[in-house]
């Protein structure tokens, strides 16, 4: 599960704490915590180099 850290002190905990304590940060966000800021196709298409 991805972890989205929402407070500066959570960053310190995630980076420095032992695993069981840091894994407590893996929790669902409130429903209104994320929002879509763009949708659809990109207008500034960049060529894909393979």
């Amino acid at each position: 599960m991805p972890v989205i850290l929402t407070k500066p002190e959570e960053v310190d905990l995630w980076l420095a704490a032992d695993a069981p304590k840091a894994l407590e940060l893996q929790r669902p966000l409130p429903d209104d915590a994320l929002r879509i800021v763009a949708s659809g196709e990109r207008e500034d298409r960049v060529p894909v180099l393979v």
Side-chain angles (χ1 to χ4, degrees):
M1 175 189 327
V3 175
I4 298 175
L5 306 172
T6 58
K7 301 174 192 159
E9 58 271 13
E10 291 177 341
V11 174
D12 294 335
L13 180 63
W14 181 254
L15 294 174
D18 60 338
K21 189 69 178 168
L23 291 174
E24 291 176 12
L25 295 171
Q26 287 185 320
R27 63 196 185 277
L29 285 173
D31 289 338
D32 61 347
L34 296 177
R35 61 187 176 103
I36 297 172
V37 296
S39 63
E41 278 194 51
R42 289 178 53 168
E43 294 181 17
D44 61 341
R45 289 183 171 230
V46 177
V48 177
L49 302 175
V50 180

